[in-house]
Amino acid sequence: MPLRRTDGVILRTYPFRETSKIVVLYSLHFGKLRLVAKGARRPKSIFGGSLEPITHVKALFYHREGRDLHTLSQADIVYSFQGIKEDLGLLGYASAACEVVLRWTPGEAPSPLLFRALLGALREMERKGKGETLLWWFELRAAEILGHRPELGRCVFCGGPLKGTPLAFSPASGGILCPSCASGEEFSLSQGAARLLARLQALPADRAATLSASGRTGEQIRSVLRAFLAYHTEERELRALDFLHKVGEV
Ligand SMILES: [Zn+2]
């Protein structure tokens, strides 16, 4: 079995057999990897604290050709995002970003762009203390990288300008509809919400972090993006966001 090396972000871990863990790593060179960390649940495991979700690691693993479970040999922490882990709200949004990657990406298909976008979103969340706006930014970026870029600058149906009200968002059509095409659509959008979505799509993470949405605008963006993701991943709601609702962070 060849030994491989890659950078990656730990998306999640779960117990495996008596003393081991399965680590799901979003890696730079291989995409989403499932790795067995043998003995990782023993008190004196060689992996120490390196296998927490939302940790950037350099991983060394035995690659089993044609299998979807490989063996982790070593994981060295590059960056632990401690500032995120110590803040319940940020932790929820960062977990939601990891969940987007977990659910939306196919198995082992590398995307350096998506890897960098995830790291960029996490870095800005920690630096600016802004969770939700950066989750929105990341969801739009991930959609684009994975080939599902929503049309937010003009009507996705007729190509006309997004003038007047009510605008609407159609998850199935993949974008915003102008007032003439919007009839019967479930997700109405104000001009402000439509403009904010378009800006989030156009800006890099550090600039997106300076944007914010209040009240009604935030609610509209939240429900549009939830529906858009649900449409593509066939999941009702990101579990991490469900958790934030329950603890009253959203
Ligand atoms: Zn139209």
Side-chain angles (χ1 to χ4, degrees):
M1 272 185 291
L3 196 57
R4 306 268 191 231
R5 188 186 298 274
T6 187
D7 267 46
V9 174
I10 296 175
L11 301 178
R12 68 167 292 198
T13 67
Y14 47 94
F16 183 65
R17 301 210 171 123
E18 283 298 293
T19 59
S20 302
K21 268 185 191 176
I22 303 246
V23 175
V24 185
L25 185 76
Y26 193 69
S27 70
L28 173 61
H29 300 103
F30 301 86
K32 194 166 58 186
L33 285 171
R34 291 172 71 240
L35 305 163
V36 181
K38 288 185 181 156
R41 283 154 66 221
R42 289 206 180 100
K44 286 184 179 162
S45 155
I46 53 157
F47 295 108
S50 65
L51 301 183
E52 273 186 62
I54 320 175
T55 302
H56 178 188
V57 296
K58 278 198 186 304
L60 203 59
F61 68 102
Y62 291 97
H63 189 257
R64 300 201 211 179
E65 208 62 56
R67 303 282 292 273
D68 79 337
L69 194 57
H70 312 285
T71 305
L72 186 63
S73 164
Q74 196 181 323
D76 295 318
I77 297 178
V78 177
Y79 192 68
S80 66
F81 292 106
Q82 211 48 44
I84 288 179
K85 289 166 190 166
E86 286 165 3
D87 180 305
L88 192 60
L90 287 182
L91 181 61
Y93 290 114
S95 303
C98 288
E99 219 177 314
V100 168
V101 177
L102 196 66
R103 293 194 187 178
W104 211 349
T105 55
E108 294 177 25
S111 168
L113 278 179
L114 188 61
F115 175 76
R116 291 202 181 94
L118 177 62
L119 270 187
L122 296 176
R123 216 174 282 139
E124 290 302 319
M125 279 184 191
E126 184 177 54
R127 198 176 291 164
K128 307 260 171 50
K130 295 275 282 284
E132 189 169 38
T133 318
L134 282 156
L135 174 64
W136 294 341
W137 175 85
F138 179 69
E139 288 172 341
L140 289 168
R141 191 79 189 100
E144 181 162 349
I145 293 166
L146 295 169
H148 305 292
R149 184 181 195 273
E151 176 58 66
L152 304 173
R154 58 197 168 123
C155 176
V156 66
F157 192 70
C158 72
L162 297 176
K163 284 189 179 146
T165 49
L167 302 172
F169 185 87
S170 164
S173 309
I176 300 179
L177 297 165
C178 73
S180 329
C181 301
S183 73
E185 284 294 336
E186 189 181 346
F187 302 101
S188 61
L189 277 180
S190 66
Q191 283 287 336
R195 274 197 302 272
L196 186 58
L197 275 170
R199 291 191 70 200
L200 283 167
Q201 189 180 49
L203 293 173
D206 59 335
R207 305 239 344 253
T210 64
L211 303 176
S212 57
S214 56
R216 186 96 194 94
T217 304
E219 274 168 38
Q220 288 185 343
I221 291 180
R222 215 168 281 137
S223 57
V224 156
L225 289 176
R226 186 187 301 143
F228 184 62
L229 253 82
Y231 179 80
H232 284 287
T233 64
E234 294 169 3
E235 296 275 354
R236 187 183 59 85
E237 165 94 289
L238 294 172
R239 244 171 283 159
L241 291 186
D242 226 12
F243 167 75
L244 282 178
H245 290 310
K246 281 187 187 125
V247 299
E249 288 280 330
V250 177

